[in-house]
Amino acid sequence: MKKDSQTTTRQIRDGTEFFDITVVEAEQPSCVVLFAVGRGGNPLRHYALLQYVARLGCTIVAPHFDMLGSSIPSGADLDLRIRRLETCADEYARTDFPLVGIGHSIGSVTLLALAGGEAETLAGERIISRPQWKFARLALLAPPTDFFRRPGALSLVTTPIQVWAGAKDHITPPTQALFLKEVLGTQVPIKICIDDEAGHFTYMDELPPNATEPHPDRSTFLATLADDVGRFVRA
């Protein structure tokens, strides 16, 4: 078994501020993964997944964020997260390596925006990003897709996508993932995986406080998930 990859915490400037990023270095990297965390803001809650993918030859770049004050992010919340993901890509993406995105929950929204989607908040604020970097693939875990219901919101997305959704997820139920298949199915390669026993937080190595876990064997599920995500990322 390969040893754990080297992990460091660094800081990057965003205007007049600095923010933390976790970087998990691959020994012999052949791709860069931009990891986008969910509402809680701490990518280390997915650390086993990040380590697994890094051992496959992908250097992981995962910015940290403050926890969102609400489960419904504002335009300013999304703008900040997207901008900092763009900053990480500018710092670490390489023209000779594919750039891959992995995101959980709200992180999936930011990655879809970076891939060309035009998100819209409940307040009607439109979030548009036109970064210079293009993703080779997107792996999305429990994505909320109501941000992209406006006609044409995903028309510019050209990235192959694989989605994992939990049948017992009451926050972003599988219908949210199936919406992506409905809209993007004739536009890009997209695969939807419905996990029968998974909830919204089953995809995390470390559950949020007071979260209830519906899966009877989360450790086995996470090992299988890491293998599936890893194979897709390295496809």
Side-chain angles (χ1 to χ4, degrees):
M1 182 176 179
K2 294 182 179 180
K3 66 180 181 180
D4 281 354
S5 303
Q6 180 181 355
T7 302
T8 57
T9 300
R10 306 173 188 176
Q11 287 195 324
I12 293 184
R13 182 188 291 275
D14 175 24
T16 59
E17 300 179 340
F18 288 87
F19 64 97
D20 289 341
I21 61 169
T22 288
V23 179
V24 189
E25 302 276 3
E27 282 193 40
Q28 296 181 316
S30 57
C31 76
V32 174
V33 168
L34 191 61
F35 183 81
V37 75
R39 177 188 175 190
N42 183 1
L44 295 179
R45 290 184 180 272
H46 300 264
Y47 188 61
L49 174 62
L50 304 186
Q51 274 284 343
Y52 186 91
V53 175
R55 288 196 293 270
L56 297 177
C58 299
T59 289
I60 311 293
V61 182
H64 293 241
F65 299 98
D66 292 335
M67 181 175 179
L68 295 175
S70 168
S71 60
I72 304 174
S74 67
D77 292 329
L78 291 176
D79 278 336
L80 182 143
R81 291 196 174 204
I82 291 168
R83 184 178 71 246
R84 291 188 173 178
L85 285 164
E86 289 175 339
T87 300
C88 288
D90 289 341
E91 183 76 16
Y92 287 94
R94 296 170 47 167
T95 56
D96 55 335
F97 288 170
L99 177 65
V100 178
I102 302 176
H104 177 244
S105 192
I106 290 298
S108 298
V109 176
T110 59
L111 290 179
L112 283 168
L114 285 169
E118 297 186 3
E120 185 171 342
T121 68
L122 286 179
E125 303 163 288
R126 290 194 181 180
I127 312 299
I128 301 172
S129 174
R130 295 288 182 266
Q132 62 170 321
W133 299 97
K134 292 191 177 297
F135 291 105
R137 286 171 293 281
L138 291 180
L140 308 180
L141 312 174
T145 59
D146 284 344
F147 296 90
F148 302 101
R149 299 285 170 159
R150 184 175 50 80
L154 295 170
S155 62
L156 297 181
V157 175
T158 59
T159 306
I161 297 171
Q162 187 158 334
V163 180
W164 288 261
K168 296 184 177 179
D169 186 343
H170 301 298
I171 298 175
T172 56
T175 52
Q176 302 255 332
L178 294 172
F179 168 77
L180 287 181
K181 179 74 172 179
E182 178 185 342
V183 173
L184 294 174
T186 60
Q187 186 171 311
V188 299
I190 180 168
K191 180 180 179 181
I192 308 295
C193 304
I194 307 297
D195 300 312
D196 290 341
E197 301 295 329
H200 189 74
F201 302 112
T202 305
Y203 299 95
M204 302 174 67
D205 303 316
E206 181 184 340
L207 295 177
N210 303 317
T212 301
E213 175 53 61
H215 202 290
D217 188 0
R218 191 162 61 93
S219 60
T220 299
F221 170 80
L222 287 172
T224 301
L225 174 71
D227 185 62
D228 290 344
V229 172
R231 281 189 284 110
F232 173 71
V233 166
R234 298 282 292 132

